[in-house]
Amino acid sequence: PAIESPALEALTGQDVLRRRDALVVLLQDVVDGGASVGFLPPLSAEEARAYWDSVAETLEAGGRRLWIARATDGRILGTVQLDLASQANGRHRAEASKLMVVSSARRQGIGSLLMEAAEAEARGLGRTTLVLDTRQGDPSEALYRGMGWQPAGTIPRYARSADGTLHTTAFYYKLL
């Protein structure tokens, strides 16, 4: 079934802690579905909770932004993060990371909505150079290319999958 106009919401670190259980479910869903987001299946709830706790800390420290897409019933359908470069020579840069959409809501424009929110925030913060990486050949590549992201190159044998295979990672950039 189609998801009707999900609501986007920027979260603080405290918001992440309040919604941690739902975020754990999202992370486990995407990891168990084979997404390359830094974890291997099966992802334990304990490991997922520890991850979201670390995200909350980084949000509170001001070095990251995070958005969720919510269904009308409040379920979290997806999330994306924007890491802000803090080096003196890099305060014009940010990295989009951990774009995740729950398996039951994919291919309905949620990823695009989340990425648009991250890009809008980057513009508002004066971040004019964005970067990201994704496993080469994943559907996310078509999304990013369709949104104007440019391929910067690849690194072979960069990320391991559950079966031990080492996959090539593709790097992208977007100049705002």
Side-chain angles (χ1 to χ4, degrees):
I3 305 295
E4 293 186 25
S5 51
L8 292 185
E9 182 179 342
L11 298 188
T12 66
Q14 290 302 310
D15 294 331
V16 166
L17 295 177
R18 279 192 289 278
R19 292 193 167 113
R20 185 175 60 184
D21 291 345
L23 290 165
V24 164
V25 169
L26 169 68
L27 183 57
Q28 287 178 310
D29 175 80
V30 299
V31 170
D32 289 348
S36 181
V37 291
F39 301 93
L40 294 174
L43 179 63
S44 72
E46 181 180 322
E47 186 178 358
R49 278 192 299 274
Y51 169 72
W52 288 114
D53 288 347
S54 73
V55 168
E57 286 179 27
T58 307
L59 288 167
E60 287 301 311
R64 181 176 296 167
R65 304 292 190 270
L66 179 145
W67 295 263
I68 59 169
R70 284 185 298 103
T72 53
D73 65 6
R75 286 178 303 123
I76 296 177
L77 302 171
T79 185
V80 71
Q81 298 175 47
L82 186 69
D83 285 315
L84 307 173
S86 60
Q87 307 91 321
N89 72 344
R91 293 195 183 116
H92 65 287
R93 293 192 314 258
E95 179 179 3
S97 65
K98 301 287 191 281
L99 175 63
M100 298 183 271
V101 176
V102 70
S103 57
S104 62
R106 292 204 181 121
R107 307 208 49 84
Q108 297 184 41
I110 295 167
S112 295
L113 288 172
L114 288 162
M115 289 298 292
E116 288 167 2
E119 290 177 20
E121 177 77 1
R123 275 188 196 90
L125 294 171
R127 304 294 173 133
T128 57
T129 301
L130 303 182
V131 297
L132 63 78
D133 67 88
T134 190
R135 184 171 47 206
Q136 188 176 46
D138 277 3
S140 55
E141 280 198 285
L143 168 70
Y144 300 137
R145 286 177 187 256
M147 294 186 76
W149 287 76
Q150 301 298 312
T154 60
I155 299 176
R157 301 172 50 102
Y158 190 82
R160 185 177 308 279
S161 65
D163 69 2
T165 304
L166 296 175
H167 294 275
T168 298
T169 292
F171 291 83
Y172 285 82
Y173 70 93
K174 186 170 188 178
L175 303 178
L176 302 179

